[in-house]
Amino acid sequence: MLRSRRLALLCVAAPLWLAACSTITPSRSFDADESARSEHYSGRFAANYTRYGRSEGVQGSFRWQEQGRNVRLDLISPLGQTLAVVTSTPSGATLDLPNEKPRNAPEVDSLMEQALGFSLPVAGMRDWLHARPAPGAPSSVTRDANGRPDTLKQNGWTVRYVAWQEASEGTPTPSAQPRRIDMARDGNEAPLSVRLVIDPKSEQ
């Protein structure tokens, strides 16, 4: 069975799949010299992509943890089983899958695409989740009537900020935070679109 089909059906098709859905322990730790405050996000994702000439789709929930340049992303099935864990640090990246050896690479995007059929732009998302361009790469930003980013283009992706939520009390710099983000990879060779709906901080 193709990996893309497996990801879409894992933990849903039959009870036998549950044996492959045990909790995944990340095999890569965060780099210790990243001392920034840890931040957490959770929400739902839906990805639509083309693989081997066929349209595919997968959805579920996600958990995102960041500390400086360290990032951990958990992708979770609709039944609550962990499908994959992505860990990206300055020293490298690892993709952990159920009952498989960890896959390592300098960066994580290619790992995800090879194994799962689609890739979330983890490196860019560190900043795009904060509604800002990633440093060190050209970008263009349009803004809405309130001065918030409306569309951000960078690194071959178009990021649209569809809905916003007010930051929770007690945040260091209170401001509106993205509620829904639509991302599409530019170009026609391998179409890919991802929708993220981020939970309010009080729900995490």
Side-chain angles (χ1 to χ4, degrees), residues 96-113:
D96 291 297
L97 300 167
N99 300 326
E100 294 190 17
K101 293 182 179 179
R103 304 185 185 208
N104 299 287
E107 54 85 26
V108 76
D109 291 5
S110 59
L111 279 179
M112 292 186 68
E113 190 133 20

Side-chain angles (χ1 to χ4, degrees), residues 6-183:
R6 179 185 173 190
L7 182 63
L9 297 176
L10 195 61
C11 306
V12 176
L16 291 177
W17 283 113
L18 296 177
C21 292
S22 57
T23 300
I24 300 173
T25 301
S27 57
R28 178 182 291 272
S29 300
F30 280 180
D31 286 4
D33 57 352
E34 292 292 307
S35 58
R37 183 173 63 92
S38 180
E39 295 192 53
H40 300 260
Y41 298 90
S42 65
R44 297 172 300 284
F45 78 94
N48 293 285
Y49 55 100
T50 299
R51 197 180 198 196
Y52 306 124
R54 299 175 58 177
S55 296
E56 303 283 353
V58 62
Q59 60 184 351
S61 60
F62 72 90
R63 291 193 298 263
W64 174 281
Q65 179 186 359
E66 64 179 64
Q67 182 188 36
R69 292 174 294 170
N70 292 321
V71 169
R72 179 159 296 135
L73 172 64
D74 292 43
L75 299 179
I76 304 159
S77 80
L79 293 184
Q81 307 297 329
T82 303
L83 302 174
V85 175
V86 174
T87 307
S88 177
T89 73
S91 60
T94 300
L95 174 66
D96 291 297
L97 300 167
N99 300 326
E100 294 190 17
K101 293 182 179 179
R103 304 185 185 208
N104 299 287
E107 54 85 26
V108 76
D109 291 5
S110 59
L111 279 179
M112 292 186 68
E113 190 133 20
Q114 292 168 10
L116 306 179
F118 73 96
S119 173
L120 273 65
V122 173
M125 285 173 58
R126 281 199 301 265
D127 292 281
W128 300 343
L129 285 171
H130 297 274
R132 67 193 180 210
S139 65
S140 63
V141 180
T142 63
R143 297 185 180 274
D144 63 18
N146 296 312
R148 300 173 302 199
D150 181 58
T151 301
L152 187 160
K153 293 188 176 184
Q154 189 175 38
N155 295 333
W157 287 82
T158 296
V159 183
R160 301 186 188 279
Y161 295 93
V162 180
W164 294 81
Q165 58 188 325
E166 293 302 319
S168 59
E169 295 183 4
T171 56
T173 55
S175 60
Q177 300 290 325
R179 170 66 169 167
R180 174 179 162 184
I181 302 174
D182 290 356
M183 301 182 292

